[in-house]
Amino acid sequence: MKQEPPVLIEPQGKVQKTVIWLHGLGADGHDFEPVVPQLGLPEDHGIRFIFPHAPINPVTINGGMQMHSWYDIRSEDLMNDVDAAGIRVACYRVFELIENQLKQGMAAEDIILAGFSQGGLIALHAALSGQYELGGVMGLSTYCPMAEQFYLHRKMPILMMHGLYDPVVPLASAEASRAAIEKGGYQVEWHTYPMAHQVCAEQLLKIGEWLQQREA
């Protein structure tokens, strides 16, 4: 099946940074498209937003239902029952998007990965195990098994955010993931919000501030 091209939002002026933002399970690239105007960015922010679509695959935990998914979720044991092969394939999809930006003249340090839930896991794994010296990575309402693989880009800015009442990805899984990443020598900026498995207005403004701080 031919892969659907990502949703692309170009800035008004010169492109200075690129954010590749991955959606969660069952959504698609349009899911986070509406948040861009809610980030509180100035008109001349210069950020290109790319929202790719995950391929459609059967998801075991949902009875084998076909849906947009970056990898399979086999059980509720998110940190241990892991589709490592699927995660690796999804990361290569992200690497292709990064390579495409590099070919267009974007520097690696001006590329930021972001993702929500499943997409957050892929963003973290791609950024922290890949060969690229990226400008940062943002994981929203996510978890991160296999963090022992992360040993490369020690100074990469990492932003993690989570809902205190998340029933899908438990806060404990997110906190354990953060601790594992920090154990590898990384600095993680961590924020929690009184919400479930979602994003909120206060959080989006904080994301906008964080993106503006990622200077070349």
Side-chain angles (χ1 to χ4, degrees):
M1 183 181 296
K2 187 176 180 180
Q3 192 169 345
E4 190 176 355
V7 176
L8 181 64
I9 300 179
E10 295 280 14
Q12 293 182 8
K14 181 182 177 182
V15 178
Q16 299 172 323
K17 290 191 277 266
T18 294
V19 174
I20 300 171
W21 196 322
L22 311 181
H23 63 77
L25 177 65
D28 63 20
H30 295 284
D31 195 36
F32 278 87
E33 184 181 4
V35 309
V36 174
Q38 302 176 46
L39 298 176
L41 298 171
E43 289 188 8
D44 60 347
H45 59 74
I47 302 175
R48 168 186 289 146
F49 288 90
I50 298 174
F51 300 98
H53 307 279
I56 295 177
N57 291 309
V59 178
T60 302
I61 200 171
N62 288 343
M65 185 181 298
Q66 297 270 349
M67 61 184 65
H68 287 285
S69 60
W70 296 108
Y71 54 90
D72 191 21
I73 298 179
R74 298 189 285 239
S75 73
E76 294 182 2
D77 188 359
L78 298 177
M79 296 297 288
N80 296 298
D81 191 1
V82 180
D83 178 16
I87 290 170
R88 189 161 52 248
V89 170
C91 285
Y92 278 109
R93 290 180 180 271
V94 175
F95 296 155
E96 289 175 358
L97 293 170
I98 292 171
E99 286 290 340
N100 183 263
Q101 291 301 299
L102 296 177
K103 289 175 182 176
Q104 294 183 50
M106 185 67 57
E109 60 265 27
D110 293 329
I111 299 173
I112 296 168
L113 298 186
F116 177 83
S117 196
Q118 259 206 346
L121 184 156
I122 298 303
L124 288 168
H125 270 268
L128 299 176
S129 65
Q131 63 176 309
Y132 309 97
E133 294 279 4
L134 301 179
V137 58
M138 177 172 63
L140 312 177
S141 300
T142 195
Y143 61 106
C144 194
M146 304 185 296
E148 67 275 2
Q149 298 178 3
F150 305 154
Y151 59 88
L152 295 172
H153 314 308
R154 305 276 182 203
K155 295 182 180 180
M156 181 182 295
I158 303 170
L159 176 67
M160 294 184 70
M161 298 172 148
H162 213 87
L164 294 172
Y165 315 118
D166 192 330
V168 178
V169 178
L171 179 62
S173 295
E175 290 176 331
S177 300
R178 169 199 177 190
I181 292 170
E182 290 178 332
K183 185 178 179 181
Y186 294 93
Q187 298 291 320
V188 179
E189 182 177 339
W190 171 261
H191 299 276
T192 57
Y193 297 88
M195 63 182 185
H197 196 63
Q198 61 192 102
V199 294
C200 65
E202 179 185 357
Q203 175 190 18
L204 292 176
L205 291 175
K206 175 61 71 174
I207 290 170
E209 292 175 7
W210 186 82
L211 289 175
Q212 292 179 73
Q213 291 166 2
R214 309 278 70 83
E215 300 295 337

